[in-house]
Structures are given as C-alpha cells and as structure tokens.
Amino acid sequence: KAGVTQTPRYLIKTRGQQVTLSCSPISGHRSVSWYQQTPGQGLQFLFEYFSETQRNKGNFPGRFSGRQFSNSRSEMNVSTLELGDSALYLCASSPLAGAYEQYFGPGTRLTVT
Amino acid sequence: AQKITQTQPGMFVQEKEAVTLDCTYDTSDPSYGLFWYKQPSSGEMIFLIYQGSYDQQNATEGRYSLNFQKARKSANLVISASQLGDSAMYFCAMRPNTGNQFYFGTGTSLTVIP
C-alpha cells in the first residue's frame, strides 16, 4: 500500500506570493492533518480535515487555509507569503478522525525569499 | 493546557547499547494517547510506538519500549541494542481524546556511535 505523498517536495517562492501544497493520503484514509515544522517553533498543528470538513484548526493566521476533496486528497494554501513561512510542511493521514496513529508524508520544504 | 517536554536536545549512545529518551507531558484530559515518532534527516516522520493512558502494560514494538509512568506524567522511549540507523530526531507526542490535535515535543537528536 502506498504511503502518504506530498507534492511538490521543494518549493521556492518570494514574499507576497501564494502557494498551494498537495497531499494524497494512504488509500482508505479519510483524515488528513497538516503541520508546520521550523527550527524555532518545532512541529505546530495547522488543521485537520475529515470527509471534506475542517474538524480542527491550530493557531495560525487566516493566510493559511486548506481543503479536502471527495477522494480525501487535501491541499493547503498560504497567501501573501512571509519570510517566516519558510518551513517543512508535513501532511499526515489516518483512517478516521482522531484515530490513534498518524502516518506522515515526506513533507514539502518551502523557502520564501 | 496541553504540553509535551523533551529536555534532552541531543543524546549519544554506543552501538548495541540501550538508550532512554525522556518525555513528560501535561494534560487535564483523563484519556489520551502518547506516541513516539522518528524523523531521519530525510524529513519523513516515522511512527514508532503508541501508549494509551488507560493501558496497564507498557507498550513494546520490537527494540522500542515505552516506559509509561502515569502518576509522574512521563512517557520515556527506550531503544535497546542501538543501531547506526537509529541516528535521527525523536519526537514525543500526545493526543487528548477530547480533541483531534497532536501536540509534539521539541525533539531529541540521537546519534549512535560505532
């Protein structure tokens, strides 16, 4: 069974631009969560989607948004990029919302210049 | 408030020796899950082990075991017979059953010395 895939793996953007990251969960998994990982703040929860609905949201500004499609694939969008948005963005899937284990993808490394 | 604390930024262990990575947590939820993840330099987070707050026995998965002391709110990871491939960052995490969010510690960098 294929794991969680994230595209693109690496991305370079300039301040003020917007970016869309994609995540395909493990087949059969309906919950997708997004995390931002930076050296200074560590791993921080962005949001979780289940059955196309956002179930939970972390403490991030409204520039960070997401959605989930009927096939459980999820996208995360960041508008008006700031230098501080440079990070590794990790997506994790699990069979159900609140399921015990989350399986992570390889991440998308975003650099904002 | 939920909080995970990992007080060891870096650890070194000799190959084939055992090592303990510390983790303490704080939550007011009576029911929660505790997790350990490994993150190699490639960046992918790998699930290692899970312990439920009501589990009576400590969880074990191969060379990994979780030393769960509920009264002390600690969930230390023990890696036995360390291998060079164990060199990575290790994160402790908690998920209260009343919410869907995972809370992660700041991680411990483990280096296995040949």
Side-chain angles (χ1 to χ4, degrees):
Chain A
K1 189 184 260 191
V4 178
T5 58
Q6 291 186 246
T7 56
R9 292 293 310 278
Y10 302 91
L11 205 51
I12 300 175
K13 290 285 190 179
T14 56
R15 276 181 301 174
Q17 288 186 312
Q18 74 164 18
V19 66
T20 300
L21 312 182
S22 180
C23 171
S24 292
I26 292 171
S27 177
H29 285 195
R30 296 167 60 193
S31 171
V32 173
S33 296
W34 287 90
Y35 296 85
Q36 181 196 64
Q37 186 177 27
T38 60
Q41 299 296 320
L43 268 155
Q44 293 186 287
F45 171 76
L46 280 156
F47 27 65
E48 181 191 15
Y49 285 88
F50 178 76
S51 292
E52 302 177 64
T53 301
Q54 186 181 89
R55 287 180 51 91
N56 207 356
K57 188 174 178 5
N59 189 25
F60 278 82
R63 299 185 297 108
F64 292 82
S65 63
R67 59 177 175 169
Q68 186 180 35
F69 302 95
S70 58
N71 62 358
S72 295
R73 189 177 70 86
S74 177
E75 288 182 347
M76 189 193 93
N77 185 76
V78 187
S79 63
T80 319
L81 283 166
E82 301 176 0
L83 295 178
D85 297 332
S86 295
L88 179 66
Y89 290 88
L90 291 162
C91 164
S93 79
S94 53
L96 299 170
Y100 289 126
E101 292 131 50
Q102 291 188 331
Y103 297 88
F104 283 80
T108 293
R109 175 76 62 183
L110 172 65
T111 301
V112 182
T113 62
Chain B
Q2 327 284 357
K3 188 177 180 181
I4 300 285
T5 302
Q6 294 181 254
T7 58
Q8 305 154 313
M11 290 279 287
F12 291 87
V13 64
Q14 204 76 36
E15 195 177 6
K16 300 181 184 177
E17 297 291 313
V19 64
T20 297
L21 307 184
D22 295 341
C23 172
T24 57
Y25 60 92
D26 191 17
T27 180
S28 55
D29 283 69
S31 180
Y32 48 89
L34 296 159
F35 307 78
W36 279 91
Y37 284 85
K38 172 184 177 182
Q39 188 178 39
S41 55
S42 60
E44 186 166 354
M45 298 280 282
I46 302 167
F47 166 73
L48 295 178
I49 195 167
Y50 160 80
Q51 177 87 41
S53 59
Y54 290 114
D55 292 344
Q56 295 296 315
Q57 291 189 312
N58 287 342
T60 60
E61 288 286 347
R63 296 186 298 110
Y64 304 107
S65 60
L66 199 152
N67 184 2
F68 180 46
Q69 298 187 46
K70 192 171 183 177
R72 297 180 59 186
K73 292 190 174 180
S74 75
N76 298 340
L77 176 71
V78 180
I79 305 175
S80 62
S82 296
Q83 302 171 357
L84 295 179
D86 294 335
S87 294
M89 283 290 289
Y90 289 81
F91 291 92
C92 179
M94 177 185 64
R95 187 191 65 83
N97 281 6
T98 54
N100 300 316
Q101 181 176 346
F102 272 67
Y103 297 87
F104 284 85
T106 51
T108 295
S109 175
L110 177 67
T111 301
V112 180
I113 304 167

